[in-house]
Amino acid sequence: MVSGMAQTARGRVIDSLAVQGTMKICIVGAGYVGLATGVMFAKLGNEVTCADIDESRVRSVSSGMLPFHEPALEKELAKAVKSGNIKATVKTVDAAKGSHAVFICVQTPSLPSGKIDIRPVKTASRAVARAIRGSDDHKLIVMKSTVVPTTTDAVVRPLLERLSGKLAGRDFSLCMNPEFLQEGSALNDSMKPSRIVIGADDKRSGYELARLYRQVKAPIVRTDIRSAEMIKYASNVFLATKITYANEIANICARLGIDSEPVLAAAGMDPRIGSLFLKPGLGFGGSCLPKDVKALRDGALREGYKPRLLTALLATNDSQPNEAIRMLEKSIGDLRGKKIAVLGLAFKGGVDDIRETRALPLVTSLLAKGALVTAFDPMAMPNFIRIMPTIRYAESAGDCLKGSDGCIVQADWPEFKRLGKKEFSSMRRPVVVDGRRCLDPRKVRASGATYLGIGYGLAER
Ligand SMILES: NC(=O)c1ccc[n+]([C@@H]2O[C@H](COP(=O)([O-])OP(=O)(O)OC[C@H]3O[C@@H](n4cnc5c(N)ncnc54)[C@H](O)[C@@H]3O)[C@@H](O)[C@H]2O)c1
């Protein structure tokens, strides 16, 4: 289909740019999504400029270093910087002006109401509009940030048109292209996505974006802009639902003396259910799932629809860290004055991102119960110290466990699996609540400790 369209006059515009060797791509927002997208396009031979308002981030990217922990992406960023395929700048307007395509990848965090904060999107759109106004060529503008349906139409498009004096679909192309990457495997997910969703309200815009993605092997889903925005929310709400379903089943199993792990594994063998995201844990966190569920709930309420499932998801997720505390209390009693080790502060193992980490409500509840908390995370400690400076931090997982009356594993870091007799026997009372079911129960028990896996009923009897 793409090659057919390449015969049209419109197609030729972008083809002629591509045959010149490379496309010039500007990424606005050098975060997880922006850098993964930028490095992917650089690896595919394009010239990429990442624009960010944060000067220290720009300095870091310019020297081939990531401002967050994502080793595979960092390796490829360093290569791309060395080969000259990626640059970084604080001058967004100039970078966008000199590019054929501009991807808006800025953050869209939750406001206290649950609504997303679109101020970064508006600021970025204004800068892109100034770039369109100041250049003669036909640019492709792509919204990649997650925004609730109608935002691109109601906010981004009018800003771009009003401030540039040009029309979307005529003078520049406009697409919505949601991102589905997971932190920890950001580059791989960008290079090998399960699907590429291209939302466009006119043929040329969609065609140009499909052309840009031509070297990425993945099914392309073509929709209008609003549906593309909605697909991202439909996907994340389903993932949040699956996690919450697993947790609810696990909580019931724990009370009935059943181990939830084989139960969920067998349920997941049904292809209608699927086995991924069915592990019991302390709830979903991170920069996307909680904020996206809240944003869709807020959007639905504004339209006069009561989204009961979304409300239940958030409430169930909020109380999930208490499951670990309940298990610990059942085993060691009142937590007042007890030394509790918390292993893992990131929202999941392998990353240093603490946005919406379950470690925050977990540690807050432990402190409210009078526990003395010592925490450790291989990468996320500096970020967590900023939001919770008053607890004690350990230098290693072993140091964290030493002299404690109990431990809760909050994030599934692979190194926690290596903990054994030496570390667990240094606990004053060796009780381990595995909040992510990531340890080997036999190894923990062999070291003389009590193992309590979340959603593990046998331990309760
Ligand atoms: N992190 C993920 O796993 C993930 C996955 C899929 C989708 N998303 C979505 O992608 C979007 C970006 O998420 P992220 O995690 O990459 O965000 P991030 O916070 O890691 O990065 C955003 C970057 O944008 C920069 N920025 C803000 N305003 C700017 C402006 N006006 N001009 C230039 N730069 C600006 C910030 O300084 C920051 O470096 C969000 O909407 C998010 O929901 C994130």
Side-chain angles (χ1 to χ4, degrees), residues 25-30 33-35 37-38 41 48-52 101-103 105:
I25 295 173
C26 170
I27 303 285
V28 184
V33 169
L35 287 173
T37 306
F41 280 123
V48 177
T49 306
C50 297
D52 203 291
V102 182
F103 284 77
C105 304

Side-chain angles (χ1 to χ4, degrees), residues 334-354:
D334 192 352
L335 297 183
R336 187 161 298 277
K338 302 245 168 72
K339 290 183 179 170
I340 306 301
V342 172
L343 290 181
L345 299 168
F347 83 90
K348 65 176 182 180
V351 303
D352 63 352
D353 196 342
I354 56 152

